[in-house]
Amino acid sequence: MYSRIAGTGGYLPERVLTNAELEKMVDTSDEWIRSRTGIISRHIVSPGETTVDLAEHAARAALQSAGVEPQEVDFIVFGTTTPDLIFPNCGVLLQQRLGIHGCPAFSVEAACTGFIYSLSIADKFVRLGEAKCALVIGAETLTRMVNWKDRQTCVLFADGAGAVVLKPSDEPGIVSTHLHADGRYQDLLYYPGGVSKGWVEPGDGQGVQMRGNEVFKVAVNTLGRIVDETLEANKLQKSQIDWLVPHQANIRIIQATAKKLEMPLEKVIITVHEHGNTSAASVPLALDVGVRDGRIKRGDLLLLEAFGGGFTWGSALVRY
Ligand code: UT7
């Protein structure tokens, strides 16, 4: 038994924040942001709008594209680092929004790799026959944790939600997933406050802390390694991958991974220019864009990959 993606969905908050607006907020320029990151604009939440608000839109879109009623969902796993509340977890809050009750629902906190971790977990439950219709979410409101005076981070991060529905199948589906973490890199990218350590507001030198240049180098290396690991585990040649669906952190990191795979950028789903870095939402959002605009077709072989704070990183080989 395997699991396969029966439908995808995505949602971006309405408010668009352009590079021109950021020029008025911090000492930066449209030219710098475009050339160093590839980002032109990004979507951010409005006051009062939450991670679960975004996730509900994405989930309903995924259910619709899968032709599934909410009542059929029997498993919810929700990747996020920016939950609405400490508890109930976002999975349960989403379950309530969808009007369903009783199935397991939980969140997974793995920063930008949250969706890949969640997909891997849901895949196991479906394969074991313990879930027949799993809803997998990646959703974030990362701009709530950004220091809007820190030009290095505030130009990068953004908000959004993506979702997939997994159903059992005789053929893969999710071919393999590969998850990793290494806490030696925790100081390169982290948020300095939490519940037991004490909350820290994101302003005044606080907010997401990042040593961008070092993150960049480790990201390129780890993503290169996980691409090799995924290909080797499945005895695949690079040329057999139809689409790379990468975490949308920086166009230059995406280009490095595509180069490693010897893939032209035409075979890479790129949304970073319009989405920015939406953390756990970025891979399912990019997947949904590629599916809905008709580039990704049934039967195509996809390589999904992500890395994030921790560090955490992971990949999924998917026969769509
Ligand atoms: O999901 C994971 C999340 N994090 C990431 O993926 C981050 C990965 N890292 C990156 O994407 C890049 O390292 C950045 C985009 C953050 C920075 O690009 P870079 O090419 O590595 O620049 P840099 O850090 O080496 O900085 C170059 C210069 C510095 O000025 P000096 O020291 O050369 O005078 C920075 O102060 O650019 C300056 N700088 C900026 N200038 C204008 C840093 N941020 C900005 C900015 N606007 N927003």
Side-chain angles (χ1 to χ4, degrees), residues 5 8 119 164 173-176 230-231 234 236 240-246 261 263 267 269 283 286-288 290-291 295-305 315-320:
I5 296 177
T8 67
L119 186 72
V164 303
I174 309 297
V175 183
S176 68
T230 311
L231 293 172
N234 294 286
L236 281 176
Q240 289 175 272
I241 305 289
D242 294 306
W243 293 101
L244 176 63
V245 186
L261 272 168
M263 279 183 110
K267 300 300 258 176
I269 307 294
V283 170
L287 176 65
D288 186 57
V291 166
R295 278 179 290 172
I296 296 175
K297 298 195 171 52
R298 283 287 170 202
D300 284 353
L301 194 59
L302 321 179
L303 180 56
L304 281 48
E305 47 86 342
S315 67
L317 186 75
V318 176
R319 180 73 67 186
Y320 181 66

Side-chain angles (χ1 to χ4, degrees), residues 28 32 36-37 112 151 210 212-213 247 249-250 252 277 307:
T28 191
W32 191 96
R36 299 287 178 127
T37 73
C112 302
R151 67 177 182 174
M210 187 177 76
N213 214 282
H247 174 44
N250 184 317
R252 293 183 293 143
N277 182 346
F307 73 94

Side-chain angles (χ1 to χ4, degrees), residues 49-247:
E49 201 170 20
T50 71
T51 297
V52 174
D53 290 338
L54 308 184
E56 184 182 351
H57 287 286
R60 289 191 186 280
L63 292 169
Q64 194 177 32
S65 84
V68 161
E69 291 299 322
Q71 282 66 28
E72 291 174 58
V73 172
D74 60 2
F75 187 86
I76 299 175
V77 52
F78 194 126
T80 189
T81 313
T82 47
D84 288 23
L85 303 170
I86 304 303
F87 66 86
N89 74 68
C90 281
V92 175
L93 297 177
L94 179 65
Q95 186 200 52
Q96 169 69 6
R97 295 277 188 96
L98 295 175
I100 52 180
H101 308 282
C103 74
F106 57 98
S107 58
V108 170
E109 184 193 335
C112 302
T113 321
F115 175 77
I116 302 281
Y117 268 64
S118 299
L119 186 72
S120 180
I121 294 166
D123 172 54
K124 308 295 180 291
F125 275 80
V126 174
R127 276 181 192 227
L128 288 169
E130 292 193 26
K132 299 251 175 308
C133 184
L135 183 57
V136 187
I137 309 284
E140 302 273 17
T141 48
L142 220 77
T143 62
R144 296 259 194 260
M145 301 206 301
V146 161
N147 172 7
W148 290 100
K149 292 179 184 149
D150 175 10
R151 67 177 182 174
Q152 209 205 175
T153 51
C154 76
V155 302
L156 298 180
F157 294 110
D159 305 324
V164 303
V165 173
L166 286 190
K167 297 197 82 173
S169 165
D170 292 338
E171 293 172 11
I174 309 297
V175 183
S176 68
T177 58
H178 306 265
L179 304 181
H180 294 281
D182 191 338
R184 277 179 297 184
Y185 300 111
Q186 62 178 286
D187 291 341
L188 300 192
L189 180 59
Y190 66 99
Y191 191 87
V195 177
S196 60
K197 216 169 163 18
W199 180 240
V200 170
E201 288 296 326
D204 293 334
Q206 300 294 347
V208 176
Q209 306 288 307
M210 187 177 76
R211 305 219 300 256
N213 214 282
E214 290 167 70
V215 174
F216 191 100
K217 287 177 197 150
V218 184
V220 169
N221 283 332
T222 48
L223 290 174
R225 283 207 309 276
I226 204 156
V227 162
D228 283 340
E229 180 187 334
T230 311
L231 293 172
E232 278 165 27
N234 294 286
K235 299 191 172 32
L236 281 176
Q237 303 298 317
K238 293 169 179 171
S239 58
Q240 289 175 272
I241 305 289
D242 294 306
W243 293 101
L244 176 63
V245 186
H247 174 44

